[in-house]
Amino acid sequence: MYRNSPRSLAEGSIFEQRTLETERGRASRQPTITVVVPAKNEADNLRAVLPTLPPVHEVILVDGDSTDGTVEVARQVMPDIKVVKQTRKGKGNALACGFKAATGDIIVMFDADGSADAREIPAYVDALINGADFAKGSRFIRGGGSDDITLLRHVGATGLHVLVNLTFGQRFSDLCYGYNAFWTELVPALGLPDIDAPVPPGEMIWGDGFEIETVINLRMVGAGVQIREVPSIERPRIHGESNLRTFKDGFRVLRTIVSERQRATALRRRGATVLTTTTAPAEQVRRPSISA
């Protein structure tokens, strides 16, 4: 685990302003877990994926106007699943809708296509209850890997995370990976677009697309929280084709890096703080009842 580099933080970051009330809140109860699953036309995949999830406080399916029976299948497989309709298009908007609906202490971001291994969830939770604020999945550290990434995507991903490390003074090994977990109280620090904001026809609000993983990573950096990378193995999609477009979405990520650097600089100049929170010592928090 590492603390964000001071050069990337606004003066008086939230890391320096931990509140006793939140510390006591985390320490006084067994943390509950919300799994947020964005999905659009993933019915076949959900039949295989949902039964693998461990017992948690709630699973939220965020549906993007599916036409293949995604919602119906999800309810058949998991009758108590919570279904939320996303308000616009894009994975970023889907996640924002899921985050807003979450009632657990911890949010786990989980893809519906089978690429995420549910057996890794306890490792993410362990990282959080042992002091991290943000547990960031990585395919490129020891214990991680990918059965799906192409050489072109690997080269691009490497270049992007190296650029972020140089620009933000970080030590990320993987930037563009969507399997992450964090304390729900940090959602305001992300400053994601309002899920009810209108969008002109044919356009997309910045942060609503596949750049969302980079936005989340860099805003956690800007918030000054404790980040721990967790090794993760990316599995191949079970059914269907990915909506990810290597060059188009790669440029969106590059644009995100530039805009987030500008945002962090502006916050630092204003001496702004985003959120006040705390991390309970690991020994004060009981492990959640979650099976591997």
Side-chain angles (χ1 to χ4, degrees):
M1 181 169 62
Y2 57 89
R3 177 182 170 179
N4 294 313
S5 167
R7 67 181 257 205
S8 68
L9 304 180
E11 183 180 353
S13 74
I14 67 170
F15 186 88
E16 302 295 343
Q17 299 184 25
R18 303 300 192 187
T19 62
L20 183 60
E21 289 77 10
T22 310
E23 178 175 341
R24 288 173 175 166
R26 283 191 185 176
S28 64
R29 65 185 186 278
Q30 184 176 0
T32 54
I33 301 166
T34 294
V35 178
V36 175
V37 185
K40 182 175 182 178
N41 295 329
E42 298 284 6
D44 290 338
N45 289 322
L46 289 175
R47 287 190 180 93
V49 168
L50 290 180
T52 70
L53 292 173
V56 293
H57 168 65
E58 64 184 356
V59 177
I60 298 177
L61 176 76
V62 187
D63 179 56
D65 293 324
S66 298
T67 58
D68 69 342
T70 286
V71 172
E72 292 76 14
V73 167
R75 286 176 170 153
Q76 291 169 5
V77 175
M78 185 177 286
D80 60 347
I81 196 167
K82 184 176 181 179
V83 177
V84 172
K85 291 286 188 179
Q86 70 177 96
T87 55
R88 295 186 296 271
K89 64 179 182 179
K91 184 178 182 180
N93 173 253
L95 286 172
C97 291
F99 296 167
K100 185 171 183 179
T103 61
D105 300 312
I106 289 171
I107 290 174
V108 178
M109 299 161 52
F110 194 84
D111 285 346
D113 60 6
S115 61
D117 189 340
R119 293 173 296 181
E120 296 176 358
I121 290 177
Y124 285 88
V125 174
D126 283 347
L128 295 175
I129 65 176
N130 283 291
D133 296 302
F134 181 53
K136 179 182 176 301
S138 174
R139 298 162 291 181
F140 306 133
I141 57 175
R142 186 172 182 178
S146 177
D147 298 327
D148 185 56
I149 195 169
T150 64
L151 177 60
L152 179 61
R153 284 177 53 212
H154 192 176
V155 171
T158 299
L160 290 169
H161 87 246
V162 168
L163 176 61
V164 162
N165 289 344
L166 292 173
T167 305
F168 288 83
Q170 297 302 298
R171 298 194 300 275
F172 290 153
S173 64
D174 196 353
L175 180 69
C176 306
Y177 190 48
Y179 199 174
N180 305 304
F182 55 92
W183 293 97
T184 306
E185 64 198 27
L186 290 174
V187 169
L190 300 177
L192 299 180
D194 184 347
I195 64 171
D196 296 318
V199 57
E203 297 185 18
M204 180 179 284
I205 293 178
W206 191 254
D208 277 0
F210 278 108
E211 70 276 6
I212 185 61
E213 285 94 359
T214 304
V215 169
I216 290 174
N217 290 336
L218 297 184
R219 291 193 180 175
M220 289 293 187
V221 169
V225 304
Q226 290 271 11
I227 300 173
R228 177 177 294 174
E229 289 194 323
V230 176
S232 179
I233 297 178
E234 181 183 32
R235 308 297 181 184
R237 165 181 276 272
I238 301 172
H239 300 285
E241 296 183 0
S242 172
N243 291 319
L244 181 67
R245 299 296 177 259
T246 300
F247 290 103
K248 180 179 179 180
D249 293 313
F251 281 118
R252 289 183 72 89
V253 171
L254 184 60
R255 178 183 165 188
T256 300
I257 295 170
V258 174
S259 64
E260 290 301 312
R261 177 68 268 178
Q262 294 171 342
R263 180 179 184 270
T265 299
L267 287 173
R268 185 169 61 247
R269 286 174 178 168
R270 295 199 304 266
T273 57
V274 183
L275 182 70
T276 301
T277 184
T278 188
T279 301
E283 63 273 13
Q284 292 183 347
V285 183
R286 293 178 294 165
R287 280 168 130 21
S289 299
I290 179 170
S291 59

